[in-house]
Amino acid sequence: MDQISKVSGRAARSEALVLQILREQGSASIAELARLSGLGKATVSRIVAALRTREVIEETGEAFRSANTGRSGKALRIRPDTGLYLGLAIGPGFIHSVLVDAAKRVVDYQQEELALDRQLPAVLDALDLIVARVMADNDTDPSRILGTGVAIGAPIDPHTGRVGPSSLVPETFNAPLAEILSQRLGMPVRCDNESNCSALAEVLWGDMPKTGTYAYIKFDHGLGGAIVSDGQVRSGRRGIAGEFGHICYDREGAFCRCGKRGCFEQYLSISALLARAAPIYGPMSFQQFRERLSKGDHAFRQVVGEAGSIAGELLVLIGQTIDPEAFVLGGDLTLLGDDFLTPMRERYKALTGEDAPISIGTAARVLSGWEQQDEPALGAIGLVIKQPT
Ligand SMILES: [Zn+2]
């Protein structure tokens, strides 16, 4: 390689690095770009000037204050009108969609009900409908989509892209989902497990730090999780790293949807809690369950307290395995508040002698009318932002 192509190759890599930081951060000052990239400030200034001339990036008109150094400077971002990212989440009973502009700002968020017994063709039809509606509502079309991410409640093999067992949408088992969706939607699609996507949302839109190791635990319809190290979700050899819900709690317990017995998910999921409460008041929705609990019903508090205590044991196991900086909790069971969280903390402290480093996820707050379970579609966009097509 001659000297000129060596130099231009390095310049191209530096520019790509600056753009990638802006994609992930949303906005940053020249000083912050220099700090995060390791490039000199003069080099970053030259790159920024060239990108502004080409109308790829712009000043936001606001000041950027670095959370690390406290220094402020003019905030820069990728021009929002250069494209959009689409995130979709396929869950039990719903499809969620999120549209984010190139500057990482949420511009649209929608939900579509989806009957539990739908087969894969019906799921694909529902996706078609919601994507068409999102495009129409936002006066845009697939040609402006920079990338699409899809979250699903199942492990995805990182090598084959096939959906693993224990799916919350069983019809997708063993399907090469990204390939199928790319063909169906006519645009490149990346897919991952919904808990991995939620964890990625915490990295890109929430408060999860970008250095250190964190355990993300999602207490929702299922019990999932993810291991995040230095801002990267570690999916493991088969995509099942962080599947905390299928660690065994009781070998004599009931059969789980994964085929094993007594998994933690059998005790720590919305359906598990509703099943425990059913003998007392009959079948009910999670909303009705929360209302009963908020009225101080003793039987409900006991059911939730027992679950919280079991969750404390799970945290101890995870802590002994990966020794995270903190446990970041997500999912709708966290909406039960102290009735769930206090026994969790107490059990953890009883077993370890230490206070559990627990925080509640914050990423979904960027969505209007958010609930904890709304994160996966947002995080699915992270799959594309982290690895642009
Ligand atoms: Zn299981």
Side-chain angles (χ1 to χ4, degrees):
M1 188 185 285
D2 63 35
Q3 208 55 31
I4 291 173
S5 54
K6 256 190 210 166
V7 171
S8 62
R10 192 186 311 141
R13 281 197 298 277
S14 298
E15 182 182 292
L17 180 56
V18 166
L19 279 173
Q20 185 57 24
I21 292 168
L22 282 174
R23 262 184 219 110
E24 293 188 23
Q25 300 285 318
S27 67
S29 62
I30 286 177
E32 183 74 350
L33 288 169
R35 187 182 75 80
L36 292 171
S37 66
L39 299 169
K41 209 170 157 186
T43 304
V44 173
S45 294
R46 272 199 303 278
I47 292 169
V48 163
L51 288 170
R52 287 188 67 185
T53 302
R54 280 156 44 207
E55 300 189 332
V56 176
I57 67 173
E58 64 181 13
E59 285 182 0
T60 67
E62 292 168 5
F64 176 87
R65 179 176 286 276
S66 168
N68 283 72
T69 65
R71 292 168 60 193
S72 62
K74 287 178 181 171
L76 298 154
R77 68 182 174 200
I78 295 176
R79 286 179 54 133
D81 59 1
T82 54
L84 297 157
Y85 297 103
L86 176 63
L88 298 161
I90 306 167
F94 64 82
I95 292 177
H96 291 178
S97 74
V98 178
L99 200 62
V100 164
D101 69 22
K104 222 182 108 191
R105 301 175 309 176
V106 175
V107 295
D108 186 57
Y109 169 51
Q110 302 199 18
Q111 301 184 25
E112 177 87 5
E113 296 290 317
L114 183 72
L116 271 169
D117 59 353
R118 293 250 184 139
Q119 300 295 308
L120 184 57
V123 173
L124 295 175
D125 287 345
L127 280 173
D128 270 345
L129 278 178
I130 198 164
V131 170
R133 197 174 67 215
V134 169
M135 296 296 131
D137 289 356
N138 291 278
D139 198 20
T140 191
D141 63 74
S143 70
R144 296 207 59 239
I145 302 297
L146 298 166
T148 300
V150 175
I152 187 163
I156 304 245
D157 188 308
H159 303 293
T160 65
R162 289 185 180 271
V163 176
S166 73
S167 172
L168 285 175
V169 187
E171 298 77 21
T172 58
F173 173 56
N174 212 26
L177 197 61
E179 208 177 297
I180 292 170
L181 294 177
S182 297
Q183 281 175 7
R184 181 64 176 250
L185 300 176
M187 45 192 171
V189 172
R190 291 186 190 281
C191 293
D192 202 356
N193 167 266
E194 61 143 352
S195 295
N196 286 351
C197 290
S198 291
L200 207 44
E202 295 299 339
V203 172
L204 291 172
W205 284 273
D207 295 331
M208 190 183 283
K210 292 177 179 61
T211 56
T213 298
Y214 292 81
Y216 175 80
I217 310 170
K218 185 162 187 173
F219 299 101
D220 210 274
H221 292 281
L223 171 56
I227 299 167
V228 182
S229 181
D230 294 339
Q232 305 288 340
V233 173
R234 309 297 177 185
S235 54
R237 180 170 61 91
R238 290 170 294 164
I240 62 168
E243 283 277 357
F244 306 130
H246 299 288
I247 295 173
C248 182
Y249 172 67
D250 178 3
R251 292 204 181 279
E252 306 299 315
F255 277 106
C256 176
R257 64 191 167 95
C258 73
K260 293 182 290 184
R261 294 184 83 122
C263 298
F264 271 96
E265 184 177 274
Q266 303 284 88
Y267 308 87
L268 293 172
S269 60
I270 289 174
S271 50
L273 260 64
L274 294 181
R276 293 286 306 281
I280 311 167
Y281 289 107
M284 68 183 71
S285 68
F286 184 55
Q287 182 60 33
Q288 290 166 326
F289 183 98
R290 283 174 66 188
E291 283 162 14
R292 290 273 188 188
L293 184 69
S294 67
K295 287 175 185 157
D297 187 302
H298 178 72
F300 279 72
R301 290 191 68 179
Q302 194 172 353
V303 166
V304 173
E306 284 168 10
S309 183
I310 294 170
E313 298 200 23
L314 176 63
L315 262 57
V316 172
L317 282 178
I318 296 169
Q320 285 168 337
T321 312
I322 61 172
D323 194 16
E325 305 286 338
F327 303 98
V328 180
L329 310 187
D332 276 355
L333 281 195
T334 61
L335 300 174
L336 302 178
D338 288 342
D339 286 315
F340 182 57
L341 298 174
T342 301
M344 186 189 308
R345 293 179 193 278
E346 286 174 353
R347 187 70 181 141
Y348 185 93
K349 186 154 191 172
L351 291 170
T352 65
E354 295 172 358
D355 289 324
I358 289 175
S359 64
I360 305 293
T362 55
R365 289 177 191 170
V366 300
L367 302 170
S368 58
W370 65 280
E371 293 264 355
Q372 286 290 334
Q373 64 161 6
D374 295 341
E375 283 181 327
L378 180 66
I381 291 171
L383 300 172
V384 185
I385 288 181
K386 282 278 191 186
Q387 284 186 290
T389 45

